[in-house]
Amino acid sequence: IVQLLLRTITRIFFKQIYISNAEAVPREGPVIICGNHANQFMDPLVIAGFLPREVGFLVAAKSMRKPIIGHFARALRGIPVERAQDLAKNGSGIIKAVSYTHL
């Protein structure tokens, strides 16, 4: 049922979808699949919807905390990953420009 739902959602965005070499993906055991699509949200839909196996995804932990995206990511077995750029904080302090022309 999940694959059918994902295929239906995917076909809303894409008129035609061509899957090639799906038989080369092992049906069980570990495998790493790297999506080559410009939209990070469509990759999981296409991969989970059209591969003949269960898959899980690495998802930015920041996205997992968002209500709608997080719900779908968890439903697709998303694995939260904290990214360095999401943990960055603004620095405190003062930067002062100093002129050395009088030296």
Side-chain angles (χ1 to χ4, degrees):
I1 288 181
V2 172
Q3 274 196 326
L4 179 61
L5 176 64
L6 294 175
R7 287 179 185 189
T8 301
I9 292 170
T10 304
R11 287 198 168 110
I12 291 170
F13 296 99
F14 299 102
K15 186 183 274 188
Q16 294 180 330
I17 298 170
Y18 297 100
I19 307 298
S20 61
N21 298 325
E23 70 279 356
V25 177
R27 291 190 181 264
E28 57 186 46
V31 64
I32 296 175
I33 300 167
C34 299
N36 187 18
H37 189 270
N39 186 318
Q40 65 181 343
F41 298 110
M42 289 307 296
D43 285 342
L45 296 177
V46 172
I47 292 169
F50 292 90
L51 282 183
R53 65 171 289 153
E54 278 193 37
V55 294
F57 298 93
L58 298 179
V59 180
K62 179 179 180 179
S63 295
M64 293 283 280
R65 291 188 284 271
K66 296 185 184 224
I68 295 171
I69 295 170
H71 177 73
F72 282 112
R74 284 186 290 282
L76 291 175
R77 299 181 50 205
I79 302 164
V81 176
E82 289 289 352
R83 304 178 307 168
Q85 64 263 37
D86 295 336
L87 299 174
K89 295 183 176 19
N90 289 333
S92 61
I94 298 172
I95 297 175
K96 184 177 180 181
V98 177
S99 173
Y100 292 101
T101 56
H102 299 293
L103 294 177

